[in-house]
Amino acid sequence: MMNRWHVLKRLMPLLAGMVLLLSACGRADLSTLKPQGPVAEEQFGLMKLTILIMVIVVVIVFAIAVYVIIRFRRRPGDKSIPVQVEGNHKLEIIWTVIPIILLVILGVPTIQSVFGLAKDYTKDPDAIQVKVTAHQYWWEFEYPNLGVKTAQELLIPDDAVISIEAKTADVLHSFWVPSLAGKIDTNPAGNANTMFFEAPKKGVYLGKCAELCGPSHSLMDFKVKVVDRASFERWITAQKAPVALPQDQELADLLTNQCLSCHAIGDKGAQAYPNLTGIGSRESVGGILVNTEDKKYDNEGTTEENLIKWIKDPQAVKPGNLMPTVELSDQQIEAIAKYLAGLKLDY
Amino acid sequence: MAHAHAVKRYTGLLDWLTTVDHKKIGILYLFAGFFFFIIGGLEAVLIRIQLWEPMNDFVSAETFNQLLTMHGTTMIFLAAMPMIFALMNAVIPLQIGARDVAFPFVNALGFWTFFFGAVLLNVSWFAGGAPDAGWTSYVPLASPVYSSTHGVDYYVIGLQIAGLGTLIGGINFLVTIINMRAPGMSFMRMPMFTWAAFITSALILFAFPALTVGLVALMFDRLFEANFFDVSQGGNAVLWEHIFWIFGHPEVYILILPAFGIISEVISTFSRKRLFGYSSMVFATVLIGFLGFMVWAHHMFTTGLGPIANALFSIATMLIAVPTGIKIFNWLFTMWGGSIKFTTANLFAVGFVPTFVMGGVTGVMLAAAPADFQYHDSYFVVAHFHYVIVGGLVLGLFSGLFYWWPKMFGRVLNETLGKLFFWLFYIGFHLTFFIQHFLGLMGMPRRVWRYLDGMGFNEMNLISSVGAMLMGLGTIVFIINMIVTGLKPRNASNDPWEDGRTLEWTIPSPPPEYNFAQTPLVRGYDAFWKEKMEGKNAMTPAEPLGPIHMPSPSILPFLMSLGLFIAGFGFMYHNYYIGIGGLVITFGCMFFRSVIDDHGFHIEPEELQDKGVKA
Amino acid sequence: MSGHSHVDGQLPHEPEKATLEGRNKVLGFWLFLGGETVLFGTLFSAFLALRHQVLDGPTEQELFSLPLVAAATLLLLTSSLTSVFAIQAMHNNQVKAMINWLIITVLLGLGFLGLEIYEFYHYVHEGHGFTTSAFSSSFYTLVGFHGAHVAFGILWISLLIAQVFKKGLNVVTAPKIYVAGMYWHFIDVVWVFIFTVVYLMGKVG
């Protein structure tokens, strides 16, 4: 028995190295290996425990396999008949019992965590209640207690539990924020799901759809933006404030007729499709065209450029989405994009 | 019925269409399965080309979803399953000392329904688009509202027809193994591959009907406006997930158990050693099969079944690690102290052990539900199941093919090309899939058509694509090997590996159509090895030479399946004359099968020279 | 491998198990019925999951008329008994009695099927069509699958009666009749479950 522990001790640095390697992987706003909140941390803890146990198993099996392959390979011309062993009860009991022990070590925290993460915050007055509705291919976020609805970008304070109630308006999707929480499927109404998470660090985190939902499944990204409590409250107020249509009457008519028949801006327009209030201060257009002044990749551009790209040919950006290609001249599109890009919220 | 009947014997193509000989049906399964393996492989290569760089537009989003759906469906139902049936057909009757399977006619029917179901499924590519809702076909995406092309219709109908073939194939092998064993071949003397085939067949029997019901319900929803999964009409989308995985999880064990069996045979033979812990191996196989039905909801941890269900299914899933671990160590200790010869077959088998362990341990990781909230539907899962299915089943299949090829065709596959194939495929496999674990952990969801630049996914995806090319290259080497070997004279001896332990190595390669001129008497586990150790080179016969009764060939299985194929198209396109016409062909053939007695024919003792089947 | 016919033309007591083919057929059919059990089990699960999704259609209480279903049940249960008599007659080598019992079985099956068709016809007129709701779809699928099994059984047994007329009872036809009898019992057992789960539970609520 002592011997085995020595082997383990020698393995420890190796395992520590593995864990380090793992935690160096990926972007902090996207990777499950760089958790940024307690829920993701708890999940990462369980992942580390399982990886540790499994690495031990793999190392033992590999060691025996390599030894056996080298030690017992047949020399040319060897005609000898090895001893025909039927089995060995002692060994067989060992490799039945040890895995059971390992599974108990793994099973206890798993069960604790299953019940811990299933805690229901939907009735908690201190939690921020968010109703997530997934659509092909965009995300709707409603704050029922605060009377606010937005799209593509979930804005939350850094000091509260976020209680999610997720469902879909059409096909199955899955709400996944790798660096903050796990994922939960969005089922059709009647089978709505709940989850919760906390995000103590301010910043922007990437969210993904994790269930095949049609051609643009891979493009159905969203953002989680974490701000301090004061900013959050300013944002809520700003979301509810009325928004002025453009001075130019022609442009205002165009917007009312073409855009606001589906979308909402402030108190105007329809609610069925992504809410555009404050779209000028979002991180992306259509969830996938990243807004930045410092363009590095194909999918990046200024907010205005991205809006133009999107309005001109939405199907080229996200195949299969429901936004129609509207009959507009380039000047009209540019004017709309300019106006929308200017819709910034102060928070 | 001892009267002689003149039986029409066919040659050429008609011989293959009418054969009821399990060895020929095995060859049909093999080539059909391998053909679809190539198709599925090409689909995989296209997927990897699309993903080799960020924001690639090599294929459109619609095509990509069709590719990933057909890749999964093809590989599981049309490539892996038939290749398993190929080996079961070629080997099981020989291993238990039987002259035939229990139901030769049904055996042929099983092949042809699989074949026509598979063809129907692939016709979709040319008829307006393949299914595109994933191999799991989750509703509502696969429901008529969100999938308006005929793609998913091809999926539900093709899989029903192919699934029927699998089901009756499973029943055939269960009865064969229970009723047709040679004298002395008790259950605890059966070779491990036969045991695995037995349990796999049982799993098929109890899992496939659930799939059939799911497919029928989805078909009714799509073709006849039923409301099983239509939420607006009171249907339930989660119900599909349950039905699918109640079938789907046992299916995983249906695939992997035969590989376990093959590995046990190959490792034991090429180590010149008895399988270590045979009874615990049998016990573990049975236990895995049993637990396989208890764990389906671990595919649904994020569906929202609640903590109690998630906890129970987590623990049940972890338990499967115990019997699987028993197997791994039994294989290692079979080699321990043995005299291991590294033929290509054994390279695949030995390579299987560590690879499968890696797939197994990621399985245990996935079993921890809270951690699965992160892994689920990410590339980590893709890596895991490819480690299990490619690193497990496919390596096992190739091991088995190299091992039994001489028994099936009378020719030993070229070893140099074989080893080249192994190394290309093995290295390519690990390059492709090892890296995908990390992609998933870094936040890449599965089934994505594109990924953005700057996410940190680029290099790993490129490596993965390079690995896929290597696997493709390896497969080409294997095809060359088949051709090169096919051109060589047919000269394999009864026992070409010289260390054969089981009954199939006591008869010519390939065996005559009646397999055993005299049914052998089995005196212990590893029946042939036991005789060899007592200095004999043949089995003791259990009966005197006498006339052998053989079943007649029949075209009816082919026609029955063709009828289903036609009916499938008829119902899909709402042309009920064609639909009913197809069913009339099928039921008409059943009528003739019932009315016309199949007396078969006899091979007289004086004819019993060793004239092998044509390969 | 083939069966040995008795020299005196006398059939063995259990002719269905006299040959290996016969034994294979009986065992294979048992296994097939195992698969059928899973099939109906899944159909029952789907029905149980969806049976309250009635929407605007009539509810189970409004719909089902127990006397009618009880009559159908009586017919089918009796037919199961007569098929037992048929197999007993076969074991006693009384071909004529066997055929008579089989004919009665088929007639009772036809009666059951007639009642079921009448019942469905009646339901459709009350606004309970196949596409009305998830409840109606799962109801017709479950009960309809059973009905299709009964219809197939009727055709099958009729065909076997004709064969026995022509070829007599021997070690080839005996397993067929035995297996058809097993099938008939199976659909009877399924009906008992349908009667309980669909009709009785539906009436009780």
Side-chain angles (χ1 to χ4, degrees):
Chain A
M1 231 28 220
M2 266 322 276
N3 234 335
R4 196 164 286 130
W5 280 115
H6 276 299
V7 174
L8 262 185
K9 265 184 202 159
R10 244 175 268 159
L11 283 175
M12 278 305 176
L14 185 83
L15 298 175
M18 277 286 295
V19 172
L20 263 178
L21 184 80
L22 281 178
S23 51
C25 262
R27 283 169 55 148
D29 57 355
L30 178 63
S31 177
T32 66
L33 304 173
K34 289 185 171 171
Q36 304 295 320
V39 170
E41 243 154 49
E42 181 173 335
Q43 290 163 339
F44 185 51
L46 198 56
M47 284 158 67
K48 279 190 289 192
L49 176 69
T50 52
I51 291 174
L52 183 78
I53 294 175
M54 294 309 142
V55 167
I56 295 172
V57 172
V58 167
V59 166
I60 292 173
V61 171
F62 277 36
I64 299 177
V66 168
Y67 174 77
V68 164
I69 290 168
I70 294 172
R71 169 73 180 74
F72 298 107
R73 67 184 190 283
R74 191 180 301 174
R75 306 296 189 279
D78 180 2
K79 292 271 179 212
S80 66
I81 302 293
V83 187
Q84 304 290 308
V85 188
E86 281 199 25
N88 181 323
H89 285 300
K90 212 186 264 171
L91 278 175
E92 287 173 52
I93 288 169
I94 287 174
W95 63 58
T96 310
V97 171
I98 290 181
I100 291 177
I101 294 171
L102 291 178
L103 290 185
V104 171
I105 295 172
L106 182 55
V108 172
T110 297
I111 291 183
Q112 277 176 340
S113 190
V114 164
F115 286 95
L117 293 180
K119 202 168 165 207
D120 185 8
Y121 283 94
T122 51
K123 302 281 178 301
D124 186 339
D126 296 331
I128 303 287
Q129 302 294 335
V130 181
K131 281 195 166 158
V132 174
T133 308
H135 301 256
Q136 278 178 326
Y137 304 90
W138 60 281
W139 297 89
E140 178 185 323
F141 302 113
E142 187 189 352
Y143 303 72
N145 300 342
L146 304 170
V148 166
K149 219 182 215 184
T150 183
Q152 306 293 30
E153 215 163 282
L154 175 63
L155 199 115
I156 51 170
D158 59 359
D159 62 350
V161 173
I162 315 301
S163 164
I164 301 282
E165 192 185 314
K167 64 179 196 314
T168 179
D170 37 54
V171 305
L172 300 188
H173 306 267
S174 193
F175 175 85
W176 186 24
V177 194
S179 53
L180 291 178
K183 63 179 76 67
I184 195 80
D185 290 0
T186 62
N187 297 323
N191 280 320
N193 281 324
T194 58
M195 72 185 252
F196 73 89
F197 64 95
E198 286 167 80
K201 294 182 197 165
K202 286 198 274 286
V204 179
Y205 303 94
L206 304 189
K208 297 267 179 191
C209 173
E211 183 69 67
L212 181 66
C213 56
S216 283
H217 160 58
S218 58
L219 307 173
M220 199 175 147
D221 288 8
F222 62 97
K223 304 281 187 298
V224 177
K225 200 184 251 180
V226 183
V227 296
D228 58 39
R229 173 62 76 164
S231 295
F232 178 71
E233 267 152 21
R234 279 198 297 276
W235 179 78
I236 292 290
T237 319
Q239 275 282 340
K240 289 199 255 191
V243 177
L245 285 178
Q247 299 292 327
D248 181 352
Q249 191 53 45
E250 201 184 327
L251 182 58
D253 287 347
L254 199 63
L255 249 143
T256 314
N257 296 334
Q258 298 287 6
C259 306
L260 298 186
S261 53
C262 293
H263 298 280
I265 298 174
D267 51 348
K268 300 178 188 66
Q271 291 287 353
Y273 293 93
N275 188 307
L276 302 180
T277 314
I279 188 168
S281 31
R282 289 197 194 146
E283 301 289 321
S284 64
V285 170
I288 197 74
L289 298 170
V290 177
N291 301 336
T292 171
E293 294 297 325
D294 176 25
K295 181 178 154 68
K296 264 204 290 195
Y297 305 117
D298 278 356
N299 61 305
E300 296 184 342
T302 63
T303 311
E304 209 174 317
E305 285 165 3
N306 284 343
L307 280 163
I308 293 172
K309 193 172 174 184
W310 170 256
I311 299 169
K312 265 192 181 159
D313 192 356
Q315 293 305 321
V317 180
K318 271 183 163 178
N321 82 80
L322 290 178
M323 167 110 173
T325 313
V326 190
E327 289 291 325
L328 293 172
S329 71
D330 284 2
Q331 285 88 341
Q332 286 172 320
I333 291 180
E334 278 159 30
I336 291 174
K338 194 169 164 83
Y339 166 75
L340 289 176
L343 288 179
K344 291 189 199 285
L345 294 183
D346 192 22
Y347 58 94
Chain B
M1 244 114 324
H3 19 257
H5 284 271
V7 144
K8 190 159 169 50
R9 314 201 63 171
Y10 302 95
T11 51
L13 180 65
L14 256 188
D15 176 35
W16 289 102
L17 297 185
T18 58
T19 185
V20 292
D21 180 348
H22 68 90
K23 296 174 287 297
K24 286 186 179 170
I25 291 172
I27 290 169
L28 286 172
Y29 264 122
L30 176 61
F31 284 118
F34 192 74
F35 172 76
F36 288 110
F37 180 76
I38 302 289
I39 303 264
L42 286 175
E43 284 155 3
V45 166
L46 293 177
I47 289 172
R48 280 319 315 171
I49 292 176
Q50 167 64 22
L51 292 174
W52 81 277
E53 63 169 15
M55 296 304 279
N56 198 357
D57 46 15
F58 173 69
V59 294
S60 73
E62 288 82 2
T63 312
F64 185 84
N65 284 358
Q66 294 174 14
L67 283 172
L68 72 86
T69 302
M70 286 301 281
H71 167 70
T73 313
T74 303
M75 283 305 196
I76 292 198
F77 292 102
L78 315 184
M81 294 296 296
M83 293 216 280
I84 289 169
F85 268 106
L87 288 178
M88 277 162 60
N89 265 294
V91 177
I92 297 296
L94 309 185
Q95 280 199 333
I96 60 174
R99 291 217 172 91
D100 209 334
V101 292
F103 307 113
F105 180 90
V106 169
N107 199 15
L109 182 62
F111 169 75
W112 288 112
T113 46
F114 142 70
F115 180 78
F116 279 108
V119 171
L120 187 132
L121 198 48
N122 276 278
V123 165
S124 63
W125 284 112
F126 311 102
D132 57 359
W135 87 280
T136 49
S137 258
Y138 273 14
V139 287
L141 186 61
S143 71
V145 182
Y146 298 100
S147 158
S148 47
T149 66
H150 278 295
V152 179
D153 296 337
Y154 279 94
Y155 172 93
V156 291
I157 294 176
L159 284 190
Q160 274 181 69
I161 298 175
L164 188 68
T166 309
L167 178 70
I168 58 183
I171 293 178
N172 179 28
F173 278 100
L174 281 172
V175 178
T176 304
I177 294 171
I178 295 173
N179 270 4
M180 311 273 287
R181 283 165 290 128
M185 177 63 83
S186 64
F187 271 98
M188 289 314 277
R189 285 177 182 174
M190 289 194 320
M192 228 21 244
F193 180 61
T194 302
W195 256 112
F198 184 62
I199 302 297
T200 279
S201 302
L203 295 187
I204 287 174
L205 176 62
F206 293 116
F208 267 76
L211 175 70
T212 303
V213 170
L215 293 172
V216 165
L218 186 53
M219 178 178 77
F220 282 178
D221 270 17
R222 293 187 59 89
L223 298 183
F224 309 123
E225 294 164 45
N227 308 308
F228 283 96
F229 309 119
D230 183 350
V231 179
S232 67
Q233 297 294 313
N236 191 328
V238 176
L239 180 65
W240 167 265
E241 293 182 39
H242 279 293
I243 295 179
F244 186 85
W245 288 116
I246 282 173
F247 147 78
H249 199 79
E251 169 69 16
V252 176
Y253 294 101
I254 291 169
L255 294 175
I256 198 63
L257 289 180
F260 287 173
I262 295 165
I263 300 303
S264 305
E265 304 282 312
V266 172
I267 284 187
S268 163
T269 300
F270 292 107
S271 303
R272 274 192 193 146
K273 248 186 96 210
R274 184 192 155 101
L275 187 65
F276 190 93
Y278 171 79
S279 4
S280 67
M281 279 303 233
V282 171
F283 168 73
T285 308
V286 176
L287 194 61
I288 290 173
F290 178 74
L291 286 175
F293 280 98
M294 310 284 155
V295 295
W296 79 89
H298 70 214
H299 298 267
M300 301 166 63
F301 282 149
T302 64
T303 302
L305 303 178
I308 296 171
N310 281 2
L312 284 175
F313 281 100
S314 276
I315 298 305
T317 306
M318 288 177 188
L319 281 181
I320 295 187
V322 177
T324 315
I326 292 175
K327 285 183 162 282
I328 297 285
F329 285 105
N330 277 337
W331 289 320
L332 289 174
F333 278 79
T334 303
M335 292 191 278
W336 190 289
S339 166
I340 310 170
K341 186 177 177 190
F342 288 99
T343 57
T344 308
N346 203 27
L347 276 178
F348 275 107
V350 173
F352 164 98
V353 174
T355 311
F356 186 76
V357 167
M358 290 175 60
V361 297
T362 51
V364 179
M365 290 171 68
L366 285 160
D372 184 67
F373 291 161
Q374 291 285 22
Y375 307 133
H376 185 83
D377 266 340
S378 76
Y379 253 84
F380 188 85
V381 174
V382 178
H384 159 71
F385 68 69
H386 281 95
Y387 259 84
V388 178
I389 295 181
V390 184
L393 169 66
V394 175
L395 292 185
L397 277 176
F398 284 134
S399 175
L401 282 179
F402 273 85
Y403 182 57
W404 282 305
W405 197 273
K407 194 47 69 183
M408 292 177 80
F409 298 99
R411 300 173 174 94
V412 182
L413 280 168
N414 183 304
E415 278 290 300
T416 316
L417 285 174
K419 282 173 183 165
L420 180 63
F421 166 44
F422 168 76
W423 287 112
L424 281 172
F425 194 85
Y426 198 66
I427 293 168
F429 163 76
H430 283 284
L431 268 187
T432 312
F433 295 110
F434 187 69
I435 211 92
Q436 290 183 356
H437 292 112
F438 299 96
L439 277 174
L441 295 177
M442 285 160 57
M444 183 162 156
R446 72 190 271 211
R447 292 166 162 174
V448 287
W449 166 54
R450 278 177 167 179
Y451 49 93
L452 294 182
D453 208 343
M455 296 281 164
F457 299 157
N458 302 8
E459 294 77 13
M460 292 191 177
N461 272 299
L462 180 62
I463 294 172
S464 186
S465 296
V466 170
M469 301 301 147
L470 277 185
M471 290 169 80
L473 205 61
T475 310
I476 293 173
V477 173
F478 181 54
I479 296 172
I480 295 172
N481 196 347
M482 288 197 275
I483 296 169
V484 169
T485 307
L487 298 174
K488 294 268 173 58
R490 189 194 290 168
N491 58 4
S493 64
N494 288 9
D495 183 12
W497 306 114
E498 291 164 7
D499 292 321
R501 310 175 72 85
T502 39
L503 288 178
E504 72 267 32
W505 307 112
T506 63
I507 52 176
S509 313
E513 60 179 323
Y514 45 81
N515 299 347
F516 297 88
Q518 289 167 290
T519 304
L521 180 68
V522 175
R523 300 194 299 136
Y525 175 67
D526 278 345
F528 187 31
W529 182 262
K530 193 173 167 68
E531 304 292 330
K532 277 183 183 173
M533 287 303 101
E534 292 175 15
K536 296 179 219 156
N537 57 2
M539 300 298 296
T540 316
E543 59 174 13
L545 272 177
I548 295 169
H549 179 253
M550 301 298 294
S552 344
S554 170
I555 193 72
L556 291 179
F558 177 84
L559 293 178
M560 279 173 81
S561 314
L562 184 67
L564 288 176
F565 179 76
I566 294 170
F569 277 104
F571 286 111
M572 199 184 322
Y573 291 99
H574 293 280
N575 186 332
Y576 296 113
Y577 293 112
I578 293 183
I580 289 168
L583 289 182
V584 166
I585 296 178
T586 303
F587 283 102
C589 292
M590 279 173 81
F591 173 81
F592 285 118
R593 173 66 184 167
S594 178
V595 171
I596 303 167
D597 286 337
D598 172 20
H599 297 292
F601 60 96
H602 284 87
I603 298 178
E604 298 304 323
E606 49 271 26
E607 291 179 80
L608 292 181
Q609 320 120 359
D610 296 335
K611 37 169 194 187
V613 281
K614 271 177 268 126
Chain C
M1 298 256 284
S2 174
H4 41 88
S5 53
H6 285 238
V7 193
D8 50 2
Q10 194 63 25
L11 274 177
H13 174 60
E14 288 187 332
E16 72 276 5
K17 290 178 186 157
T19 63
L20 179 61
E21 281 87 349
R23 287 194 295 277
N24 284 346
K25 202 169 259 183
V26 172
L27 176 62
F29 207 81
W30 271 114
L31 295 170
F32 170 75
L33 292 183
E36 287 265 75
T37 309
V38 177
L39 184 106
F40 277 103
T42 317
L43 284 170
F44 273 110
S45 319
F47 174 79
L48 286 174
L50 300 174
R51 75 187 185 103
H52 295 301
Q53 305 301 323
V54 182
L55 301 185
D56 303 331
T59 64
E60 296 159 299
Q61 281 98 331
E62 294 161 11
L63 213 52
F64 298 150
S65 119
L66 279 188
L68 181 76
V69 182
T73 308
L74 194 68
L75 286 180
L76 202 64
L77 286 181
T78 315
S79 77
S80 207
L81 185 68
T82 56
S83 75
V84 172
F85 291 151
I87 300 297
Q88 272 183 353
M90 178 180 92
H91 283 166
N92 295 331
N93 207 9
Q94 297 162 326
V95 182
K96 216 166 167 193
M98 181 188 85
I99 289 177
N100 288 338
W101 283 121
L102 285 179
I103 290 173
I104 295 172
T105 306
V106 166
L107 290 177
L108 288 168
L110 277 173
F112 170 85
L113 211 55
L115 282 182
E116 187 156 82
I117 290 167
Y118 168 76
E119 184 198 355
F120 281 10
Y121 178 80
H122 182 67
Y123 289 164
V124 171
H125 273 255
E126 287 194 12
H128 179 67
F130 183 64
T131 59
T132 308
S133 62
F135 160 63
S136 74
S137 296
S138 59
F139 168 82
Y140 281 114
T141 306
L142 170 60
V143 183
F145 250 71
H146 176 266
H149 273 75
V150 175
F152 182 82
I154 289 170
L155 291 176
W156 185 17
I157 295 175
S158 310
L159 181 66
L160 291 182
I161 293 170
Q163 283 190 44
V164 175
F165 255 124
K166 207 158 164 252
K167 300 173 189 166
L169 188 64
N170 56 39
V171 288
V172 176
T173 48
K176 292 185 184 181
I177 289 163
Y178 187 80
V179 157
M182 284 164 63
Y183 176 85
W184 198 257
H185 289 311
F186 175 76
I187 52 181
D188 204 55
V189 171
V190 172
W191 180 258
V192 171
F193 280 95
I194 290 181
F195 182 72
T196 318
V197 171
V198 178
Y199 292 99
L200 285 185
M201 272 169 63
K203 263 301 186 201
V204 175

